[in-house]
């Protein structure tokens, strides 16, 4: 296998391949060394793994862009909960509800701080000035109304992280000054599942099922629609509501199947949902 | 029309006859690059059987290995909830009670996960595992809830730790679709045991243990859910599997 030939052929069909490999090298400290070593030794396995890193995922995403996307959502959530905590409705809410909001708020603040460090650490500039529009917040004239928005934000956050996971696929560990060594995909997944726990708890506070079954009072909102809506019941080509398709003799309801799987939102879908909420 | 999982780069046979001169689209190049890794994975797959301890089942290697690992954990959860539904704690719950509905739903979700993964894995699926739930008292609410919490938290931590081993974008998305539902289950069970403990043991509004979420505000894993390696996860899972059904994940050490 001639390493340089492969590079050249790739460059013909994908002119930015060299840029991609190069800009990523700055990010993935380990990749640079691996690439050099494999160029010299021409070890097929290492070449393969290097290209998988460069092309992994559906979009071969730019980590700075992905983390800034996550940071935008976390900033929005963080500011939203800060506004909740500063409101009279929160002060009047039961102690257990206040404790839950405080807990969730702390997590969002920590996620913000971590993402800012990671973005800076990989040479990017963290987004700023993402706040929940005050005029919109003012329309939430009860704690219950605030919790409705909290549910939509959390469930949207879960879908948003899920939608970008593949863009972080195959990216090696990154050492961030002041943070430590992280695997970007693993970190995103670990935030993703915390957001899911938040979503579940907010839904429980609102006397909804903690999962999205389609029967909840907000489950018809646009936040649960999209190219792959939460009501989806087809996975990997199987219509799971077809009699006996996965379990002999059993027919699952669309509600149960939809509840058993959460679905993604694309970046464009999330942007459409959250942009109206962002402002001074 | 049902299909098996879309073919998988890491288990695709090496296509050494594919001419390099053919213009390569980005997507197809990715498959090509995976071919070499796939060949290696096949060799490893060949090894893993002989490396397994007697009486254990190895989940295998590559993406199918990760999916079988998920399938094994979903089997365990599905079997657990099936037994909950047969136990006197559940059967004595009043009809229409919240907990009766909750365990009915949890049992359904986990059965769907397990049977879906089994069907999609097809001939690549590991065998049906025999659980050993002798340490759980199915007549006792707290024993059932504590076990449910352990299984759900373990499931989330397992998916979080194994996602990085998946090379197919489709499979990673699929795992993502399941793990957040597991996290929702885990949060619910924790809230049933102690309200507001959805992210871990709390005193007031402060998480007091890193059992679920790292309580640090500054570390690399600040306020993130725990993530566990397959080795650590299986050490726990094997406590609930009968001799002959215990698992290894030798390719994901």
């Amino acid at each position: 296998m001639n390493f340089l030939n492969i590079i050249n052929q790739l460059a013909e069909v994908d002119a930015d391949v060299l840029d991609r490999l190069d800009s990523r090298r700055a990010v993935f400290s380990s990749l640079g060394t691996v690439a050099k070593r494999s160029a010299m030794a021409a070890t097929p396995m290492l070449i393969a793994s290097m290209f998988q890193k460069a092309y992994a995922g559906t979009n071969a995403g730019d980590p700075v862009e992905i983390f800034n996307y996550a940071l935008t959502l976390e900033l929005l959530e963080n500011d939203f909960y800060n506004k909740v905590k500063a409101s009279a409705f929160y002060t009047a809410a039961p102690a257990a509800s206040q404790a839950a909001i405080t807990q969730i708020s702390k997590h969002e603040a920590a996620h913000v701080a971590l993402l800012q460090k990671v973005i800076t650490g990989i040479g990017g500039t963290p987004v700023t000035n993402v706040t929940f529009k005050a005029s919109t917040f003012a329309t939430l004239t009860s704690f219950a109304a605030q919790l409705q928005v909290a549910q939509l934000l959390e469930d949207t956050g879960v879908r948003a992280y899920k939608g970008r996971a593949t863009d972080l696929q195959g990216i090696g560990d990154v050492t961030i000054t002041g943070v430590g060594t992280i695997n970007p995909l693993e970190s995103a997944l670990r935030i993703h599942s915390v957001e899911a726990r938040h979503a579940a708890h907010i839904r429980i506070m609102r006397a909804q099922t903690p999962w999205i079954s389609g029967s909840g009072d907000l489950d018809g909102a646009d936040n649960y629609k999209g190219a792959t809506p939460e009501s989806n019941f087809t996975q990997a080509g199987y219509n799971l509501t077809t009699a006996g398709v996965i379990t002999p003799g059993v027919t699952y309801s669309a509600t149960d199947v939809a509840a058993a799987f959460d679905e993604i939102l694309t970046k464009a879908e999330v942007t459409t949902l959250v942009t109206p909420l962002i402002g001074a | 029309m049902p299909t098996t999982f879309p073919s998988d780069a890491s288990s695709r046979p090496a296509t050494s006859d594919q001419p390099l001169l053919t213009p390569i689209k980005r997507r197809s190049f990715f498959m090509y690059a995976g071919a070499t890794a796939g060949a290696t994975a096949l060799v490893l797959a060949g090894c893993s059987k002989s490396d397994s301890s007697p009486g254990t089942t190895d989940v295998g290697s590559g993406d199918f290995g990760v999916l079988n690992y998920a399938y094994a954990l979903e089997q365990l959860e599905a079997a657990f909830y099936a037994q909950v539904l047969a136990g006197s704690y559940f059967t004595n719950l009043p009809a229409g009670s919240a907990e009766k509905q909750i365990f009915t739903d949890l049992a359904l979700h986990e059965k769907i996960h397990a049977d879906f993964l089994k069907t999609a894995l097809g001939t690549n699926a590991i065998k049906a595992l025999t659980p050993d739930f002798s340490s759980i008292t199915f007549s006792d609410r707290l024993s059932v809830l504590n076990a449910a919490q352990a299984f759900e938290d373990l499931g989330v931590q397992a998916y979080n730790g194994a996602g990085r081993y998946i090379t197919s974008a489709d499979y990673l998305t699929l795992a993502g679709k399941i793990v957040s539902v597991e996290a929702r289950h885990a949060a619910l069970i924790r809230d049933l045991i102690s309200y507001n403990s959805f992210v871990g043991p709390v005193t007031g509004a402060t998480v007091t243990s890193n059992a679920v979420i790292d309580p640090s505000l500054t570390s690399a894993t600040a306020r993130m859910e725990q993530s566990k390696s397959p080795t650590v996860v299986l050490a726990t899972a094997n406590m609930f599997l009968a001799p002959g059904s215990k698992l290894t994940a030798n390719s994901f050490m």
Side-chain angles (χ1 to χ4, degrees):
Chain A
M1 189 182 298
N2 186 321
F3 177 81
L4 289 172
N5 267 355
I6 296 173
I7 291 275
N8 288 340
Q9 294 198 5
L10 268 175
E12 274 175 39
V13 292
D14 183 354
D16 62 353
V17 62
L18 293 170
D19 288 340
R20 189 195 326 283
L21 289 170
D22 191 53
S23 69
R24 286 186 155 226
R25 190 172 300 140
V27 177
F28 323 123
S29 48
S30 62
L31 180 56
T33 357
V34 172
K36 278 179 215 143
R37 216 183 293 139
S38 51
M40 289 189 295
T43 309
M45 181 64 197
L46 286 176
I47 293 172
S49 73
M50 183 181 86
F51 281 134
Q52 278 185 330
K53 281 185 168 74
Y55 281 90
T58 48
N59 301 319
D62 166 11
V64 171
E65 181 273 321
I66 297 164
F67 284 126
N68 261 327
Y69 173 71
L71 177 58
T72 303
L73 296 171
E74 297 286 354
L75 282 169
L76 182 65
E77 289 183 322
N78 188 43
D79 186 64
F80 172 77
Y81 287 116
N82 284 341
K83 284 186 163 75
V84 170
K85 286 191 295 181
S87 80
F89 303 117
Y90 169 85
T91 314
S97 300
Q98 292 189 17
I101 295 297
T102 307
Q103 186 61 59
I104 293 172
S105 174
K106 276 188 185 176
H107 294 172
E108 310 301 5
H111 294 164
V112 164
L114 177 66
L115 288 167
Q116 285 170 334
K117 278 188 206 162
V118 169
I119 292 165
T120 306
I122 60 178
T125 305
V127 293
T128 54
N129 293 325
V130 179
T131 52
F132 194 95
K133 201 181 275 180
S135 57
T136 305
F137 190 81
T139 65
L140 308 174
T141 53
S142 66
F143 189 60
Q146 293 174 347
L147 288 183
Q148 283 190 6
V149 174
Q151 178 187 317
L152 295 175
L153 285 176
E154 296 289 355
D155 276 336
T156 302
V158 174
R159 300 188 71 188
Y161 272 98
K162 201 190 313 297
R164 299 306 298 275
T166 55
D167 293 337
L168 293 169
Q169 219 171 355
I171 294 178
D173 292 358
V174 186
T175 300
I176 308 289
T177 310
V179 175
T181 300
I182 63 163
N183 179 272
L185 171 61
E186 188 189 31
S187 293
L189 289 174
R190 293 173 68 175
I191 297 176
H192 168 249
S193 60
V194 174
E195 300 292 328
R197 286 176 186 261
H198 293 172
H201 188 76
I202 296 279
R203 295 176 75 99
I204 292 167
M205 289 171 80
R206 300 192 59 252
Q208 304 292 313
T209 60
W211 39 83
I212 304 161
S213 61
S215 58
D217 64 346
L218 300 177
D219 288 358
D222 286 347
N223 304 64
Y224 301 104
K225 295 176 181 167
T228 314
E230 285 291 352
S231 57
N232 176 40
F233 48 75
T234 299
Q235 302 294 348
Y238 294 88
N239 177 342
L240 300 183
T241 63
T242 304
V245 65
I246 53 170
T247 310
V250 175
T251 307
Y252 295 107
S253 73
T255 299
D256 289 326
V257 169
F261 295 87
D262 281 341
E263 302 296 342
I264 69 154
L265 281 173
T266 65
K267 184 184 180 186
E269 289 167 343
V270 171
T271 304
T272 303
L273 288 168
V274 303
T275 301
L277 302 176
I278 298 174
Chain B
M1 188 69 186
T3 55
T4 52
F5 276 135
S7 55
D8 155 30
S10 74
S11 62
R12 183 188 306 277
T15 50
S16 52
D17 56 343
Q18 196 166 305
L20 268 178
L21 297 172
T22 316
I24 311 168
K25 289 196 180 116
R26 179 181 301 192
R27 188 80 190 161
S28 59
F29 180 79
F30 172 57
M31 293 172 186
Y32 176 79
T36 314
T40 315
L42 288 172
V43 174
L44 289 174
C47 294
S48 64
K49 281 209 173 74
S50 54
D51 288 348
S52 296
S53 312
T56 64
T57 299
D58 194 83
V59 297
S61 63
D63 283 358
F64 288 146
V66 183
L67 291 173
N68 266 318
Y69 173 60
Y71 171 46
L73 296 171
E74 297 291 351
Q75 279 194 58
L76 196 55
E77 287 186 306
F80 166 71
Y81 287 114
Q83 201 149 334
V84 169
L85 263 51
S88 62
Y89 151 67
F90 178 85
T91 56
N92 287 336
L93 286 167
S97 68
E99 287 186 20
K100 194 146 206 167
Q101 186 61 55
I102 285 166
F103 278 101
T104 304
D105 285 350
L106 293 175
L108 271 167
H109 297 173
E110 302 302 357
K111 180 72 173 160
I112 290 170
H113 291 165
D115 285 0
F116 163 68
L117 286 167
K118 179 190 181 185
T119 306
L121 276 160
T123 56
N124 295 296
I126 57 166
K127 66 177 184 177
L129 302 171
T130 306
D132 173 3
F133 296 134
S134 56
S135 61
I136 302 164
T137 309
F138 286 91
S139 59
D140 179 64
R141 177 179 185 265
L142 195 58
S143 179
V144 168
L145 286 176
N146 282 336
Q149 176 193 308
F151 286 129
E152 297 290 358
D153 282 346
L154 188 70
V156 179
Q157 292 158 352
Y159 278 100
N160 282 352
R164 60 193 297 176
Y165 297 117
I166 301 176
T167 61
S168 151
D170 290 340
Y171 300 168
L172 178 62
T173 300
L174 204 49
K177 292 176 180 213
I178 296 176
V179 64
S180 54
V181 173
E182 302 292 342
R184 291 172 189 271
H185 291 172
L188 170 63
I189 294 289
R190 284 184 163 271
D191 273 346
L192 284 178
I193 294 172
S194 172
Y195 188 69
N196 264 356
S197 72
F198 57 105
V199 288
V202 285
T203 301
T206 305
V207 177
T208 52
S209 148
N210 65 359
V212 181
I213 310 280
D214 183 340
S216 161
L217 287 169
T218 52
S219 79
T221 54
R223 307 284 168 158
M224 282 189 196
E225 179 123 18
Q226 298 290 308
S227 162
K228 285 185 179 165
S229 71
T231 308
V232 174
V233 168
L234 291 183
T236 303
N238 281 337
M239 295 194 295
F240 299 98
L241 288 168
S245 282
K246 295 192 189 295
L247 296 165
T248 57
N250 292 328
S251 299
F252 306 107
M253 300 292 278

